[in-house]
Amino acid sequence: MVMKVYGSALSTAAMRVFAALYEKDLQFELVPVNMGAGEHKKEHFLALNPFGQVPAFEDGDLKLFESRAITQYIAHEYADKGAPLVCEGKPMATVGVWIEVEAHQFDPVASKLQWELVFKPLFGMAVDAETVKENEAKLAKVLDVYEARLGQSKYLGCDCFTLADLHHIPTLSNLMGTPLKELFEARPKVSAWAADIMGRPAWAKVLAMRNQQ
Amino acid sequence: MAAPVKVYGPPLSTAVSRVLACLHEKDVEFQLVPVNMAQGEHKKPDYLKIQPFGQVPAFQDESITIFESRAICRYICDKYADKGNKNLYSTNPLVKASIEQWLEAESQSYNPPSSALVFQLAFAPLMNIKQDEELIKLNDQKLLKVLDIYDQRLESSRFLAGDEFTLADLSHLPNTHYLVSVGNRGEAFSSRKNVGRWWNEISSRDSWKKVVEMQKSK
């Protein structure tokens, strides 16, 4: 039975999961959820994710929600397929740290900026300049820490590409399409890392999915 | 002989107390290293070497220095898998997937509103910072929505991830403790049958009582 991902190729959280599946060369079925029509808040979807958010995921009898829990499951369950997205032994501890850094330091700020600069314009909503300014300053500080870290380590978690890097790609990719790309490009190590992770073939496949929608 | 495990930061910090609860559950001895936040010690170069974002906690054992409380908890559970509570972070892949799901739910859905409320209700008054009524109202609403979802989940499950107390439940202890005590938000929990039962059970654990004692004595 093929794995299913419920969501949309436009959702950054769902894209995290697609990226992991493509990295692992795994077959899956995308079950579209029509968010414009509020499908994610209806009973049949709430049974898959009681928080009414995409993505939701099924692998046989296993049902999961939360993109970062889904990618962890994929990485461990299919450890022997495709790219190793986690490390064994001591490096995993540091990968675990930077997985949390993405979730708690990068994403809250980057998501707000993504909402203001990428999604609001799509919906014809006015951009809140104050919010952008405030969060741009916060993002700059986070990226300073990343710049120092990437001076010590090829990728964020360790010397190979892991979930710690992958989880950034969808939002990072969106922000690179805004004037904020300057923040990334002004920092040489961050810039090289961003180009590297966005240049991965698995990510190209996710973008192809999105462009088909 | 000094314990090889060090935790940096004050027990009053919610993130620090998350790690302390985990160490108690796993029966792992540790040394608490004070960080004088009132004097900005956490923003000084020596501390930034071990936690580059200038936050507490940081964690050190004989082989590694790490930060981010939930990463530290996972590390403790992996490294000391045979000690203390073995169900905290099960090695069974399907059970672990469920634990990770609810740990992420805590991180992404519970933590933001509850942290904001803890700061406004418990810490802002101590720091002579004016409370933001709008922010409190907004986050109260968000919290109640999350608790409704939890109540539904806990109708059919004793703990969040399943039949056993796990890291997913533990992760909720620090913020919730402040919310129901200093924050006067106890009714939000007690008025929901299953959430009330769950909170009573997890907050009565010996490991959490030890952490609360540590918070009182510092």
Side-chain angles (χ1 to χ4, degrees):
Chain A
M1 204 175 124
V2 173
M3 283 181 269
K4 289 185 181 161
V5 184
Y6 296 79
S8 150
L10 299 168
S11 149
T12 46
M15 287 199 277
R16 249 177 227 123
V17 174
F18 301 138
L21 288 164
Y22 281 127
E23 287 285 349
K24 290 278 178 198
D25 293 320
L26 293 168
Q27 299 293 318
F28 66 94
E29 181 193 332
L30 167 61
V31 181
V33 175
N34 188 338
M35 293 172 76
E39 191 183 342
H40 55 312
K41 305 294 180 187
K42 302 223 162 91
E43 277 301 320
H44 67 271
F45 187 76
L46 292 175
L48 296 167
N49 184 344
F51 293 89
Q53 294 170 330
V54 295
F57 173 83
E58 270 175 19
D59 185 6
D61 289 331
L62 177 80
K63 291 176 171 42
L64 281 181
F65 56 88
E66 284 297 336
S67 63
R68 297 173 186 82
I70 298 166
T71 57
Q72 293 266 16
Y73 166 77
I74 290 164
H76 285 105
E77 186 66 14
Y78 300 98
D80 54 347
K81 294 207 76 182
L85 296 177
V86 289
C87 298
E88 292 309 312
K90 187 175 155 181
M92 189 57 211
T94 312
V95 172
V97 168
W98 290 89
I99 285 175
E100 289 300 310
V101 167
E102 182 275 331
H104 291 284
Q105 308 286 352
F106 180 84
D107 189 61
V109 175
S111 285
K112 284 198 179 89
L113 289 165
Q114 180 182 249
W115 173 248
E116 289 296 329
L117 298 172
V118 177
F119 290 120
K120 269 184 158 181
L122 282 179
F123 300 136
M125 293 165 71
V127 174
D128 182 341
E130 263 309 302
T131 301
V132 172
K133 192 170 154 193
E134 191 186 313
N135 285 284
E136 193 178 333
K138 288 181 182 175
L139 182 61
K141 285 193 174 146
V142 170
L143 293 180
D144 285 339
V145 177
Y146 278 30
E147 184 69 11
R149 170 61 182 164
L150 292 164
Q152 304 166 329
S153 178
K154 182 157 189 243
Y155 292 94
L156 284 177
C158 60
D159 284 333
C160 58
F161 175 82
T162 66
L163 291 182
D165 310 287
L166 183 151
H167 287 168
H168 291 79
I169 303 174
T171 307
L172 171 64
S173 173
N174 277 337
L175 290 182
M176 289 301 248
T178 75
L180 292 185
K181 81 185 288 199
E182 277 178 27
L183 288 181
F184 297 87
E185 291 178 345
R187 294 162 174 80
K189 301 260 185 316
V190 166
S191 183
W193 165 80
D196 181 306
I197 65 177
M198 290 192 305
R200 292 179 71 87
W203 181 245
K205 290 179 186 164
V206 179
L207 289 178
M209 270 181 90
R210 191 177 69 176
N211 293 339
Q212 277 170 15
Q213 296 253 211
Chain B
M1 188 175 96
V5 170
K6 290 183 185 168
V7 180
Y8 293 78
L12 286 174
S13 149
T14 51
V16 172
S17 70
R18 185 174 285 117
V19 172
L20 301 182
C22 184
L23 287 163
H24 284 307
E25 280 286 334
K26 293 300 281 176
D27 282 327
V28 174
E29 281 186 23
F30 62 92
Q31 179 194 346
L32 192 59
V33 180
V35 175
N36 192 332
M37 296 176 78
Q39 299 208 340
E41 189 182 340
H42 53 312
K43 303 294 181 188
K44 300 216 166 94
D46 276 343
Y47 186 76
L48 291 174
K49 280 189 196 119
I50 56 173
Q51 214 294 14
F53 294 91
Q55 293 172 339
V56 291
F59 173 98
Q60 226 166 37
D61 68 13
E62 75 284 354
S63 57
I64 202 164
T65 301
I66 53 176
F67 56 93
E68 284 293 339
S69 63
R70 295 167 192 81
I72 296 168
C73 288
R74 288 184 179 100
Y75 173 77
I76 291 164
C77 289
D78 283 339
K79 178 151 182 194
Y80 301 99
D82 292 332
K83 293 203 75 179
N85 184 340
K86 296 188 178 69
N87 291 313
L88 205 60
Y89 194 46
S90 171
T91 48
N92 174 302
L94 296 182
V95 179
K96 183 175 259 195
S98 179
I99 297 172
E100 285 294 352
Q101 172 182 276
W102 288 101
L103 251 173
E104 287 302 316
E106 183 272 325
S107 254
Q108 296 291 326
S109 296
Y110 188 80
N111 188 55
S114 60
S115 282
L117 286 170
V118 167
F119 180 77
Q120 290 291 326
L121 300 172
F123 289 107
L126 296 177
M127 295 159 75
N128 272 325
I129 294 173
K130 186 166 185 278
Q131 289 177 331
D132 184 333
E133 293 301 332
E134 267 308 305
L135 210 59
I136 292 172
K137 192 168 151 196
L138 189 69
N139 284 291
D140 267 331
Q141 282 168 355
K142 286 183 182 174
L143 180 70
L144 294 184
K145 282 192 180 147
V146 172
L147 290 181
D148 284 339
I149 295 168
Y150 279 21
D151 203 58
Q152 195 184 22
R153 164 59 180 169
L154 293 163
E155 174 77 31
S156 54
S157 185
R158 185 175 168 197
F159 297 100
L160 283 173
D163 294 330
E164 300 289 343
F165 174 80
T166 67
L167 268 192
D169 309 287
L170 183 151
S171 212
H172 291 78
L173 288 163
N175 288 1
T176 311
H177 173 74
Y178 281 128
L179 287 178
V180 307
S181 57
V182 184
N184 266 323
R185 294 299 187 269
E187 219 223 314
F189 294 80
S190 58
S191 64
R192 289 166 172 78
K193 188 182 87 181
N194 302 303
V195 167
R197 164 191 53 81
W198 168 76
W199 172 246
N200 283 338
E201 191 162 4
I202 69 173
S203 57
S204 305
R205 291 182 75 85
D206 283 340
S207 57
W208 185 245
K209 287 182 178 169
K210 286 180 187 156
V211 175
V212 173
E213 272 311 304
M214 290 180 80
Q215 288 183 334
K216 285 181 183 155
S217 62
K218 296 270 171 178

